[in-house]
Structure formats: structure tokens, C-alpha cells
Amino acid sequence: MLIARSAQEAHLYMDLRACACGAAGFDRQHRLEERDGALVSVYEGVCAACGTTRVFEFTLSDDRPQEPPAFGGAEPSRILDPGEFLWVADQVSTESGLRLLSAPLADHRAIGAATAYAIAALEEVAKFLPEHADRVPEDRFTSRLGQEMYAKDPTRFTRQDITAALELKRRIAAGTRQFGSQQG
């Protein structure tokens, strides 16, 4: 059984797992079931591309996250790897960065939610760093996407690079809040 630290983490896990036909994402319904005294979150839906029923089941860990956009508490994910989180941070950062470049200053604050999501994903990467290590160990990359991200540029998983990326994204987030409040 998959162990998720939050609904947000469960949704990201499902979003990153394509159907056997290759289609990503699906409209899903959620229900809770009790099994052997434990609550299980069940997500079920049909792939729009091929009609296959997709089902994901998660139990919630005791590691409760802060409020969204956080994915989990202090411990690293058991279902997503650091490469997947970095990929998400990159995708969201690129999209929100392009929106920042083309949006009027008054709209910058609205882009802040995407920036916060990217920061939360990058904070998840940092959770995979062992306490006294300078980089995320290669064996922590368990997904194909994660392994590809690591192989493409292992230096992105060093403590120095993760810290610098977090500092930059936090400055950008502060700027979107500042510009939004000056215009609003």
C-alpha cells in the first residue's frame, strides 16, 4: 500500500504516473474506506484516452504536513523521489516565470501560489539530504523520471545547489508579494 503524507502528495504521485496507454492525468473521484481499522484514501477514475479504470490507494502516514502547499512533514516522501520533486519545481518555476515576465505588476501576486508550490517541491528535495552529506545519495532516485533528472545533472542535488535554488525562489516569491501589495 502506498503511504502518503498528505492529499497533495497523493495527487502529485498520481499526476506523475501515466496510464499504460501513456496518457497523463485523469478525472478522479475520492472516497475513504476503512480496512483493518485504518483509513484508506481511494482515488478512482477513467483514463480519457483509452477508457481504462485507474485506481490508486493510499494510507496516510503519521507525518502530517503543514498547510498546503507543503507535501509532508519533516521526513522525506516514501512514494516520490527527489528527482520527481525537482522536476515539478522546474516545471512550475518555468511556467510561473514566463507568466511573471508577461503579466502586469498588479497580477504578480496571483502568480505567488505557483511559486509557493515550486518552493514546497524544492523543500521536499532537501529532505532527502542526509544530515551531514553534501548531496542526495544516488540510491534515493527510484523512479525513471528521478533517475533521468539525476543522470542529466547530479550537481543539482548537492546541498549547495538546493540551498541556492531555494533562496532564489524565496526571493522571487517575496517579490511577487511585494509587487502585488504595492499595486493592490
Side-chain angles (χ1 to χ4, degrees), residues 53-133:
T53 299
R54 301 189 68 199
V55 179
F56 290 87
E57 299 177 342
F58 302 89
T59 58
L60 290 178
S61 75
D62 294 332
D63 185 27
R64 297 288 187 243
Q66 303 168 8
E67 292 297 314
F71 292 94
E75 296 300 315
S77 177
R78 296 184 215 174
I79 59 175
L80 294 164
D81 72 25
E84 291 173 304
F85 280 115
L86 184 61
W87 183 85
V88 167
D90 286 352
Q91 298 302 305
V92 173
S93 294
T94 299
E95 180 183 315
S96 61
L98 291 172
R99 287 176 50 208
L100 278 172
L101 290 173
S102 62
L105 289 178
D107 294 344
H108 281 201
R109 189 173 190 154
I111 298 167
T115 305
Y117 191 86
I119 291 169
L122 195 52
E123 287 171 339
E124 289 299 323
V125 176
K127 292 176 187 178
F128 286 91
L129 285 163
E131 188 174 341
H132 298 293

Side-chain angles (χ1 to χ4, degrees), residues 8 15 19 31 35 44 48 52 59 79 106 134-135 144 146 159 164:
Q8 179 141 316
D15 291 343
C19 179
R31 68 179 181 276
R35 297 187 192 159
E44 186 172 356
T52 299
T59 58
I79 59 175
D134 68 338
R135 66 182 55 241
R144 182 184 54 77
R159 185 175 302 279

Side-chain angles (χ1 to χ4, degrees), residues 31-50:
R31 68 179 181 276
L32 290 173
E33 295 180 0
E34 186 175 337
R35 297 187 192 159
D36 300 323
L39 282 179
V40 176
S41 282
V42 180
Y43 295 89
E44 186 172 356
V46 176
C47 173
C50 72

